[in-house]
Amino acid sequence: MTLTDLTLTEAQTLLQKGEISSRELTQAHLERIAALDGALHSFLHVDAEGALIQADEADQRRRAGAHRDAPLLGIPLAVKDVLVVDGMPCTCGSKILEGYRPPFTATAVQKLQAAGMVILGKTNTDEFAMGSSTENSAYGVTHNPWDVERVPGGSSGGSAAAVAARFATLALGSDTGGSVRQPASFCGVTGLKPTYGRVSRYGLVAYGSSLDSVGAFGRSAQDVAAVFSAMSGRDELDATSQDVPVPNVDLRLNGERPLRGVRIGVPQEYFIDGIQAEVESAVREAIRQLQGLGAEIVPVSLPHTQYALPVYYLIAPAEASANLARFDGIRYGPRVTGNSMWDVFTKTRGEKFGDEATRRIMLGTYALSAGYYDAFYGQAQKVRTLIRRDFEQVFTQVDAVACPVAPTTAFKIGAHGDAQHFDPLAMYLEDVFSLPANLAGVPGLAFPVGFDAGGLPVGMQLMGPHFGEAGLLRTAHAYQQATDWHLAKPTMEDGR
Ligand code: GLN
């Protein structure tokens, strides 16, 4: 038995029987990271010592008998480096936060710690979660475990790669425009972006505050469901978190056709020219399988889909330009000295922000400036409402919609250019199918449904109505009980 291959459910069974300890499980993951993460660079910070202490505490709690049913007790977790954890550095993939050690812990992380999870460390991300490839990290790119010449997706590329490479049983990410779902798809793992307001954003370094959500990666819908339930819920420290009951997702399935009665919409706007043929065929095949499991397949339309990209790339940079104003060299991170306060601000920000963050700050500031506000930001907000209404309308007809996560499988590192000749628009196009869920605030779930001819994973996305995560997880679970794409494992350099 390879401890790092265990899913959450398998590990939990062995922990409960006393056949393995959390220390052994944690140690196995730490050893695998030490041996193999050199080739991937999925972690920015590994806290081996702290993790073993937490593991011992979990073992003690278990011995004390008080937590027999605790599904997450003693399970290793990786955390994207945009969520603060007391005692660990937080860089957000940026030089402007180099050396910053936050004095508090994000609510989502705190809840998982309380449930007994063991935090292994912090994972790589595009700078301030701005990107779709993890190439925008100031600390170097993360490589895809299926093909190290390719990106893992982004911005939560480190977390997705870590779960795919069996460095962590589960991982947290953030999703503002696809940053959990797209890397999940590129790395062949399951990733959930919950409803906006479902999980507290307290302690998540803000990017686009009206779009940001904390999400989770695992190797199955079942594993993700456990983390989702444990980290969700109203939090007084985040005024936008909602007081909606959090389901303990019921994954028991009945019979040969467990999806009987479930209506799944297929939006025509998500099957467009330019999508990789193998992505389309794998997703269409998966939809047929859902039908075989009893679901009713219904063609639907989300007519404003084509506006999601321009709307997102106004709203997200506008909010980012305001959110990133706090990084001034005075309050957090390193400072470049200057002759005056303004000189310090300008030099610190000019030297420490990377190109993409700078581009977004400039775009966002322009879109919000007097005289342009109505034409850009105001207009984008109106179209956003139309996009949200599309979803509200569709969810009166169906329980979920099924579509691709991204138009392609993982692309080569550097495919959209390097620092000198970067093509931002080509990169932004990676997000066409993932941005609408954030604009509408609805949940989205990505999970593997096949491979392309090059052996790279293909992901499918299910989106559901507000607070409808349980339905998405059940549907994906039914699919994963009937298929085994989610069990496929990349071969790492040591052949393990
Ligand atoms: N790729 C998108 C962007 O660059 C989404 C990122 C995210 O979800 N954090 O903004």
Side-chain angles (χ1 to χ4, degrees), residues 106-167:
T107 300
V109 177
Q110 207 173 46
K111 287 187 166 201
L112 297 178
Q113 280 175 326
M117 294 200 86
V118 172
I119 317 277
L120 298 172
K122 306 294 290 288
T123 57
N124 201 7
T125 167
D126 286 297
E127 184 172 12
F128 289 105
M130 295 170 178
S132 311
S133 67
T134 319
E135 292 170 293
N136 294 338
S137 168
Y139 301 98
V141 64
T142 295
H143 301 259
N144 190 313
W146 293 93
D147 176 352
V148 291
E149 288 176 17
R150 291 177 187 265
V151 303
S155 62
S156 315
S159 283
V163 170
R166 276 57 175 163
F167 294 158

Side-chain angles (χ1 to χ4, degrees), residues 90-108:
C90 184
T91 66
C92 296
S94 179
K95 289 285 178 200
I96 209 162
L97 280 177
E98 194 165 20
Y100 170 60
R101 283 191 175 255
F104 67 113
T105 298
T107 300

